[in-house]
């Protein structure tokens, strides 16, 4: 039996995340590195989940490169996204924060 669900893709052996190759419904059984567990949340195509437990502050590695840092502990199999990752490439990691920063910097809405 495979150690990882065939709906999950490992892009590089150094990665600590897997990528969903197909949608996975919340609660659906998945196998991650030999561990059988229910999907804690729904995963859309292309979304990441933890290959192994990731500690807050640890780098998030995808394509063999650091793409961000964990802002909270992320259990194995959990969704890895903007709610628990800080980007290493942009000062903000959500549209709402970027919009607010832009509005403050450009005094949008002030007459």
């Amino acid at each position: 039996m495979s150690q990882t669900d065939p709906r999950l893709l490992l892009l590089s052996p150094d990665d600590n995340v897997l990528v969903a190759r197909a949608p996975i419904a919340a609660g659906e059984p998945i196998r991650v590195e030999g561990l059988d567990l229910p999907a804690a949340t729904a995963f859309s195509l292309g979304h990441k989940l933890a290959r192994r437990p990731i500690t807050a502050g640890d780098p998030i590695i995808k394509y063999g490169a650091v793409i961000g840092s964990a802002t909270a502990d992320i259990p194995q199999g959990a969704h890895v996204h903007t709610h628990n990752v800080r980007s290493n490439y942009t000062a903000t990691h959500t549209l709402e924060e970027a919009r607010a920063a832009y509005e403050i910097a450009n005094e949008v809405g002030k007459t």
Side-chain angles (χ1 to χ4, degrees):
M1 178 181 274
S2 174
Q3 289 296 311
T4 298
D5 193 299
R7 296 171 294 175
L8 302 173
L9 177 64
L10 177 63
L11 297 169
S12 168
D14 295 330
D15 292 356
N16 59 2
V17 296
L18 298 163
V19 179
R21 297 170 53 160
I24 299 171
E28 202 171 316
I30 55 173
R31 186 172 182 86
V32 179
E33 298 287 303
L35 178 65
D36 293 316
L37 51 116
T41 187
F43 293 95
S44 299
L45 176 68
H47 277 244
K48 301 174 296 301
L49 63 146
R51 181 179 175 198
R52 53 184 167 264
I54 301 170
T55 302
D58 282 355
I60 303 299
I61 304 169
K62 181 179 176 187
Y63 303 109
V66 175
I67 63 166
S69 301
T71 58
D73 291 344
I74 307 171
Q76 184 174 11
H79 196 197
V80 178
H81 202 54
T82 58
H83 66 284
N84 56 14
V85 176
R86 177 180 41 85
S87 173
N88 284 5
Y89 300 104
T90 59
T92 61
H93 61 276
T94 65
L95 178 59
E96 293 79 17
E97 290 175 347
R99 183 176 292 132
Y102 172 84
E103 290 173 353
I104 290 169
N106 293 289
E107 298 186 21
V108 173
K110 294 185 179 182
T111 56

